[in-house]
Amino acid sequence: MEDRQTGPGKDRADDKADEAKVDLIAVVVAVNDGEPCLLTIGQADTLPSGPFALEHRSPQSGLRGWVEQQTGHPLGYIEQLYTFADRDRVGAERQQRAISISYLALTRKEQATASCACGWHSWYEYFPWEDHRSGTPPVGVDILRARLIEWADAAGDPATQRERRQRVAIAFGFDDRHWNEELTLQRYELLYEAALVEEASGGKATPPPAAVSGKAMVADHRRILATGVTRLRSKIKYRPVVFELMRPTFTLLQLQRTVEALAGRLIDKPNFRRLVEQQELVEETGDTSVDTGGRPAKLYRFRRAVLDERAFAGTKLPLSRA
Amino acid sequence: MEDRQTGPGKDRADDKADEAKVDLIAVVVAVNDGEPCLLTIGQADTLPSGPFALEHRSPQSGLRGWVEQQTGHPLGYIEQLYTFADRDRVGAERQQRAISISYLALTRKEQATASCACGWHSWYEYFPWEDHRSGTPPVGVDILRARLIEWADAAGDPATQRERRQRVAIAFGFDDRHWNEELTLQRYELLYEAALVEEASGGKATPPPAAVSGKAMVADHRRILATGVTRLRSKIKYRPVVFELMRPTFTLLQLQRTVEALAGRLIDKPNFRRLVEQQELVEETGDTSVDTGGRPAKLYRFRRAVLDERAFAGTKLPLSRA
DNA sequence: CCCCTTATTGTCAGATCGAATATAATTGGA
DNA sequence: TCCAATTATATTCGATCTGACAATAAGGGG
C-alpha cells in the first residue's frame, strides 16, 4: 500500500528545486484583566516562529519548542490556523519559497518566565478598530471610514465604486448595518487593499497615524494575527475554548469579561449566565471570591468532563446580531 | 521592514537538511443524482496531487494545474483544508519530510472531459457508515459497533475502557445519543485507532470486509477525505456553498437532495423550503422543470448577489439535532 | 373522472433569545 | 446603626426560530 508506483505525486521528476523552507509560526493569546494579549518578540512586531526541522516529530511539537525557546512560555492548547505560501508574501528578495504553517495557541499569562526579549501586548494595539466594548465604535473609525470611501471612489468605473462601497459597509457595519466581530480578517485585508495600513504598498501611500491604523508588524504577521483573531472569535461560539484562558477557578463575571475581551463587544449578563449554566459548562467550587465591592461572587471551575460528554456542534455564546 | 535582522526564523543556521518536499492535494467533490462524488485517480484510491513547484504563484494555482493535468477537470471553488506534516504520516521509508497542503474543491461532474485515468466515486464507498439517509443506520454499523466495543474492552484498565466506550458512543450516536453528521473525521480516527480500517496497523489486525469498513485509500488519503467531508458538512450550515455544486438552474427538491447527499441525512421538505426562501438565497427563473411524475416544480437560480450583500455568520440549513 | 405523485402553503407547540426587572449580599460612609 | 452604592443572582416576558405535521394544488395515467 505504501509503495504504489502509479499515479502522480510520486512519478514526478525529483528536481531539488522544488524544495522549500517551511516555518512554524504562533499566535499565542492570553487574556489578562479583560485585555486580550498577544505574545510577541522583537519590537512587539514579530510573532514567535522558527523553521520546521527534521528532528521535530510533528509541527505542533516543533512549534512548542520554538515558542518555549524564544519566550520561555510553555504552550497548552494549540490548533492549526492556516498555511501561508503565496510566492510574494514575504518580499521578493529570496528566490526560495517561504511557507509558514501558522497556529493559534491559548494560555495564561501568569506562567510567565522572567527575562527574555518577548512581551505581551493587547491585540487592540494592532487593530484599534476591533474593540467595540465601549458600546460605540472606537475613536478613529470615522477617519478610517472617510479614507475608505475616498478609496472606493478612486476606482475607475462606477461598478467597482459601488462594489467597494458595499464591501466596506458590510465589513465595518456602516449604513445601519450591524457590526460583525468575526470579520476581522476581511477588515484588515480591506484596509491593506486601500493602503491604509503601513504594511501595504511598500510605503508609497501614507496611512493614518498608528493610533488609528494600528501598530504594524513584520512581513505578513499582522495578517496572520488577524486570521487568528477571526478564528478565535468564531470558535468561542461553538466550542468551550475560553476556559483555556481562565484560571482554574473564576467567577462568572470574570468569564464573561474574558469572552467580551475576545469578541470585542459587550454581552448581556443574565443571558450569559443562563447560557453557561444550562450548558453545564461549569460547577461551583463552594468558595466565593474575595470581593472588589458589592456582593461576593461564587467561584466556579470548568467541568472538564463536558469535553468528553458532548460533541459540541452548538454551544453558542450569546453573541448574535446587534 | 522586509529585511529585519533580529528575531528567529531568520537567524537560523541555514542547514539545507531542513528543507522539505511540499505536496498539494485535492479533495474534489461533486454531487450527481443525489450521490456525493469524489474525484480520484489510480485505482480509485488516490487523490489528485502534485508537488508545490517554484513556478506556482500560489498553492491554489498550483493545485488547479495538477488537478487539470491529472484529471482534465477545471476547478472552481477552492478552500484550504489542513496541512499534514507529521513525520510518520507517509511511511518511514524516506528520510525527507513529506508535507501535504490539502484543499477542498467543489465542482459539477458534467464538465467532465474524456478519457483519463481518473474517475468519480461516491464518497460513501469510502465511508459506508456515514450515509444515514435511509433513516436508519446503514447496514454493517452493528458489526462496527460490536468490534468497537470489543476494542474498548481490550483496554487495560477500567478507566480507559470507560473512556473508549464513551468516545465510541458519542462519535457514532450509540446508546440513544443522536447522530452527529459532522463527526466524520472523529469516527474515521476512532476506527483507525481500533484497527478497523485497512490503513491501520500495517495489516496486522484483520478489519471487517470492505462493505462494512469501506474502501481503503493510498497513504493517509482517506483521512484527508474525512477531513474534507467534515469541513463540508459543517460549512453548508452557515455558508451558501451548496450552489457551487448545482446547475445554473434547479428545483428546490434538487437543492434539498444535494444538501442531504452531503449531510448524509434527510431533512424536512417544508422547513427546508422556508429556510431557503426567507434567506432569499434563490430567485425564480419563471420556468418550470420537465417533470418526473407529479406537479411541475418551479425552477430557481442562485442569487449571486447575496455573496456581496451579506456577511453570512448564520445561514444555517435545518440540520440540527435528531 | 379517479387515483397517484410531487409541489406548495399553512399551522402549531416547544425551544431559544434578547431585553428588562426584581431581589440578595456585601462594603463604605453618614 | 442605617443608608446608599455596588455587584451578584434570580425571574419574567414577548418575539423569533425550529421541528413536526397537516392541508391544498397541479400535473400524469389509467
Side-chain angles (χ1 to χ4, degrees):
Chain A
M1 189 175 65
E2 286 85 8
D3 49 353
R4 308 168 36 265
Q5 62 279 47
T6 65
K10 313 280 181 181
D11 59 2
R12 65 221 189 189
D14 275 68
D15 46 340
K16 290 299 176 191
D18 280 352
E19 308 210 337
K21 281 272 184 197
V22 178
D23 271 356
L24 305 171
I25 188 163
V27 176
V28 184
V29 175
V31 175
N32 258 62
D33 303 323
E35 272 308 299
C37 291
L38 172 72
L39 182 59
T40 56
I41 59 176
Q43 309 303 308
D45 60 358
T46 308
L47 299 173
S49 72
F52 187 24
L54 268 176
E55 71 258 26
H56 297 142
R57 191 152 314 172
S58 67
Q60 273 87 348
S61 72
L63 188 83
R64 284 178 203 278
W66 284 118
V67 172
E68 193 149 356
Q69 175 180 320
Q70 290 169 18
T71 71
H73 204 91
L75 296 184
Y77 176 90
I78 292 183
E79 74 176 61
Q80 194 181 104
L81 263 183
Y82 195 80
T83 298
F84 296 85
D86 281 13
R87 193 198 281 154
D88 54 354
R89 59 173 282 262
V90 91
E93 73 264 29
R94 51 188 69 200
Q95 52 234 109
Q96 204 184 26
R97 187 179 288 286
I99 296 177
S100 292
I101 312 178
S102 62
Y103 291 83
L104 173 66
L106 306 180
T107 35
R108 279 174 287 125
K109 196 162 152 184
E110 353 160 7
Q111 343 173 325
T113 60
S115 60
C116 70
C118 68
W120 293 97
H121 292 264
S122 168
W123 75 28
Y124 296 121
E125 289 180 29
Y126 306 96
F127 307 116
W129 58 86
E130 292 291 338
D131 189 0
H132 283 232
R133 284 176 294 175
S134 61
T136 60
V139 288
V141 174
D142 44 350
I143 298 178
L144 288 180
R145 174 175 190 161
R147 301 278 306 250
L148 282 165
I149 290 179
E150 211 173 284
W151 165 75
D153 292 343
D157 63 311
T160 310
Q161 284 180 13
R162 263 198 311 280
E163 182 251 2
R164 283 186 179 179
R165 276 172 172 271
Q166 192 177 36
R167 281 167 62 203
V168 167
I170 290 172
F172 287 86
F174 297 148
D175 306 338
D176 303 321
R177 284 169 221 258
H178 67 267
W179 172 255
N180 184 343
E181 77 277 0
E182 287 184 39
L183 303 181
T184 303
L185 180 58
Q186 263 189 55
R187 284 187 284 267
Y188 176 76
E189 291 187 333
L190 215 40
L191 292 172
Y192 188 99
E193 200 178 334
L196 296 177
V197 291
E198 193 184 320
E199 291 93 336
S201 78
K204 257 175 283 182
T206 58
V212 172
S213 71
K215 181 165 172 46
M217 297 185 84
V218 146
D220 57 354
H221 286 201
R222 208 167 162 199
R223 181 183 308 261
I224 297 174
L225 172 57
T227 305
V229 172
T230 291
R231 171 75 62 88
L232 188 48
R233 284 186 169 181
S234 161
K235 196 143 199 171
I236 49 173
K237 293 184 186 166
Y238 62 95
R239 285 230 147 194
V241 286
V242 217
F243 300 101
E244 305 290 340
L245 300 164
M246 303 300 297
R247 292 213 192 78
T249 200
F250 49 84
T251 71
L252 291 183
L253 186 59
Q254 286 168 344
L255 184 63
Q256 181 183 345
R257 293 289 177 241
T258 303
V259 172
E260 289 174 340
L262 299 176
R265 56 159 47 183
L266 299 175
I267 53 195
D268 183 71
K269 188 171 0 184
N271 293 342
F272 181 79
R273 295 175 63 90
R274 172 174 61 189
L275 199 81
V276 170
E277 283 170 343
Q278 86 187 7
Q279 302 255 167
E280 300 182 301
L281 295 173
V282 298
E283 61 191 2
E284 302 184 8
T285 67
D287 295 328
T288 56
S289 104
V290 290
D291 197 11
T292 54
R295 172 174 169 176
K298 289 184 195 160
L299 283 172
Y300 293 83
R301 75 172 69 90
F302 178 46
R303 282 187 60 241
R304 294 235 157 248
V306 296
L307 292 177
D308 305 323
E309 289 169 9
R310 287 207 280 280
F312 283 104
T315 303
K316 286 266 184 92
L317 295 175
L319 281 171
S320 310
R321 22 203 132 158
Chain B
M1 189 176 65
E2 286 85 9
D3 49 354
R4 310 165 36 261
Q5 62 279 49
T6 64
K10 311 283 179 179
D11 58 2
R12 66 225 190 182
D14 274 67
D15 46 338
K16 289 297 173 192
D18 280 352
E19 309 210 336
K21 281 271 184 197
V22 178
D23 272 357
L24 307 171
I25 188 162
V27 176
V28 184
V29 175
V31 175
N32 257 62
D33 303 322
E35 273 308 300
C37 291
L38 173 71
L39 182 59
T40 56
I41 60 177
Q43 310 302 308
D45 60 357
T46 308
L47 299 174
S49 71
F52 188 23
L54 268 176
E55 70 259 26
H56 297 142
R57 194 153 310 172
S58 67
Q60 273 88 348
S61 72
L63 189 83
R64 285 178 202 278
W66 285 118
V67 172
E68 192 149 357
Q69 176 180 320
Q70 291 169 19
T71 70
H73 203 92
L75 297 184
Y77 176 91
I78 292 183
E79 73 175 62
Q80 193 181 105
L81 263 183
Y82 195 79
T83 298
F84 297 86
D86 282 14
R87 192 198 282 153
D88 53 355
R89 61 173 280 262
V90 92
E93 73 266 28
R94 50 189 70 200
Q95 53 235 104
Q96 204 183 27
R97 185 179 290 284
I99 296 177
S100 292
I101 312 179
S102 62
Y103 290 83
L104 172 66
L106 306 179
T107 33
R108 280 174 286 125
K109 195 163 153 185
E110 352 158 10
Q111 342 175 325
T113 62
S115 60
C116 70
C118 68
W120 292 98
H121 292 264
S122 167
W123 75 29
Y124 296 121
E125 290 179 29
Y126 307 96
F127 307 116
W129 58 86
E130 291 291 339
D131 188 359
H132 283 233
R133 284 176 294 174
S134 61
T136 60
V139 290
V141 174
D142 43 352
I143 298 177
L144 288 180
R145 175 176 188 158
R147 301 278 305 253
L148 281 165
I149 290 180
E150 212 174 282
W151 166 74
D153 292 343
D157 62 310
T160 310
Q161 284 181 14
R162 263 198 311 280
E163 182 251 4
R164 283 187 178 179
R165 276 174 171 273
Q166 192 177 39
R167 280 167 62 202
V168 167
I170 290 172
F172 286 85
F174 297 146
D175 307 337
D176 303 319
R177 284 171 222 259
H178 66 267
W179 172 257
N180 184 343
E181 76 278 359
E182 287 184 41
L183 303 182
T184 303
L185 180 59
Q186 264 189 55
R187 284 186 285 267
Y188 177 76
E189 291 187 333
L190 215 40
L191 292 172
Y192 188 99
E193 201 178 333
L196 296 177
V197 291
E198 193 185 318
E199 291 92 336
S201 78
K204 257 175 282 182
T206 59
V212 172
S213 71
K215 180 165 172 48
M217 296 186 84
V218 145
D220 58 354
H221 287 200
R222 209 166 161 201
R223 181 183 307 263
I224 297 174
L225 172 58
T227 306
V229 173
T230 291
R231 172 74 62 88
L232 188 49
R233 285 186 169 180
S234 161
K235 197 144 198 172
I236 50 173
K237 293 185 188 165
Y238 61 94
R239 284 232 149 193
V241 286
V242 217
F243 301 101
E244 305 290 341
L245 300 164
M246 303 300 295
R247 291 211 192 80
T249 197
F250 49 83
T251 71
L252 291 183
L253 186 59
Q254 286 168 345
L255 184 63
Q256 181 183 343
R257 293 290 177 238
T258 304
V259 172
E260 289 175 338
L262 299 176
R265 56 159 45 184
L266 299 175
I267 53 193
D268 183 72
K269 189 173 359 185
N271 292 344
F272 180 79
R273 295 176 62 90
R274 172 175 62 188
L275 199 82
V276 170
E277 282 171 341
Q278 85 186 6
Q279 301 256 166
E280 299 182 303
L281 295 173
V282 298
E283 62 192 0
E284 302 184 9
T285 66
D287 297 327
T288 55
S289 103
V290 289
D291 197 10
T292 53
R295 172 174 169 178
K298 289 184 195 158
L299 283 172
Y300 293 84
R301 77 170 68 88
F302 177 45
R303 282 187 60 239
R304 294 234 159 251
V306 296
L307 293 176
D308 304 324
E309 289 169 7
R310 287 207 279 281
F312 281 103
T315 302
K316 285 265 183 91
L317 295 174
L319 282 170
S320 309
R321 27 207 127 155

